[in-house]
Amino acid sequence: MAMHRLTSVTIGVPNLRETAEYYLDFGLIPTKDEVFSAYSGELLTDATEYRFRTRDGGEQLRLVQSPRRRVLQLGVGVEDPDDLARIAARLGRLDRPFSQDEASVTAEDPGTEVKIRVEIADKYDQEPTPWPPTNTPGKIERTNERAPGALRDSKVHPRKLGHVVLGTTDEEASTKFFTEGLGFKVSDRVPFLAAFMRCSTDHHNVLVQQAPVSYLHHTSWQVDDVDEIGRGATDMLAKDPNRHVWGLGRHFVGSNYFWYLRDPAGNFSEYYSDIDCIVDDQLWTPGVWEGDAGLYKWGPPPPPSFLAPEDLAGLMSGAHGSE
């Protein structure tokens, strides 16, 4: 697969600094000294944008001012100029307008209204997470010591941006744009509602789901394991319990553990670990799932606000206003 990862996401929000403080608490790391005060440990108030990096992915989140919350741009990494040329040709056959330079190809998906920038980028070089010794029935691997997950006390910092979930006004057209135009592969589907698509070995990097307006549902950030999910969410909720949305649980589609929280602009952000990985397309059969299987395997039931965000009506009216 010429594509190999998501590189970054640019999110527009109306409450810029407040949202930036949330992602600082979430564990993302500021990349610009001029917007972060090392003396006070706080973000500066006069910044016009905020950029954050992950432990393994480099700069992966850019926050900018916007009248309504939305994704402005999503980056996809490829290996070399030949990959860009192939994607430009695919977009041409699909009759989608695009721009191209030596390092990137950029086009907009009409359903999500998100600009996709396919760019030459380094692959992830992730240091493997040590496998914790685990005691199971009939097999004792950890003796005379506490579990490592119970002893951790450092701040949780996400390893990478894993996937982005976008509301689209035309799920069929958006799926066609990502698959036929860019070359994403479909991993699983929820009929007439959503397509889970990948540009890497992860089960999905982009999920588009039918909605009355284009909007960002959530971004998802990889951490080492389920203990890091629990520790990260616990720290976030200790500061503000109203950040909680849904979790802890495990998805059926993708298999990953999850916990969802809400940023001050209304976007959901997910800590995840242990997602399915597809390294041989021939050995994976995309499934079609309905009902609870399309949402989760176990955990608390999803709240109504997860399925239909509370500000959806406002987003619909704002989409018709001036940007």
Side-chain angles (χ1 to χ4, degrees), residues 129-196:
T129 300
W131 184 257
T134 302
N135 292 337
T136 57
K139 187 177 182 181
I140 299 175
E141 294 187 349
R142 187 187 69 255
T143 60
N144 307 316
E145 60 180 353
R146 301 184 196 280
L151 297 174
R152 298 175 196 159
D153 57 8
S154 59
K155 184 174 179 61
V156 173
H157 292 292
R159 299 288 299 263
K160 69 176 185 180
L161 171 64
H163 57 267
V164 175
V165 176
L166 302 167
T168 173
T169 55
D170 191 335
E171 186 265 334
E172 183 179 355
S174 289
T175 301
K176 187 174 183 179
F177 171 82
F178 278 98
T179 56
E180 297 184 22
L182 301 181
F184 278 60
K185 304 288 181 64
V186 173
S187 299
D188 283 300
R189 287 182 180 272
V190 177
F192 310 110
L193 178 63
F196 296 77

Side-chain angles (χ1 to χ4, degrees), residues 43-110:
L43 296 169
L44 302 183
T45 59
D46 57 351
T48 58
E49 65 175 31
Y50 294 95
R51 296 172 182 259
F52 295 88
R53 63 179 175 87
T54 57
R55 287 169 56 192
D56 300 329
E59 185 178 289
Q60 294 205 279
L61 174 63
R62 177 175 173 245
L63 295 175
V64 299
Q65 193 73 39
S66 174
R68 65 183 175 97
R69 65 180 184 92
R70 58 181 301 193
V71 172
L72 300 174
Q73 181 170 288
L74 184 64
V76 177
V78 296
E79 296 181 11
D80 55 48
D82 289 342
D83 298 325
L84 296 177
R86 283 189 287 269
I87 289 172
R90 297 176 72 111
L91 289 167
R93 289 193 295 270
L94 199 60
D95 200 26
R96 287 301 306 165
F98 65 90
S99 61
Q100 183 176 8
D101 58 32
E102 292 182 355
S104 67
V105 172
T106 303
E108 182 175 304
D109 167 41

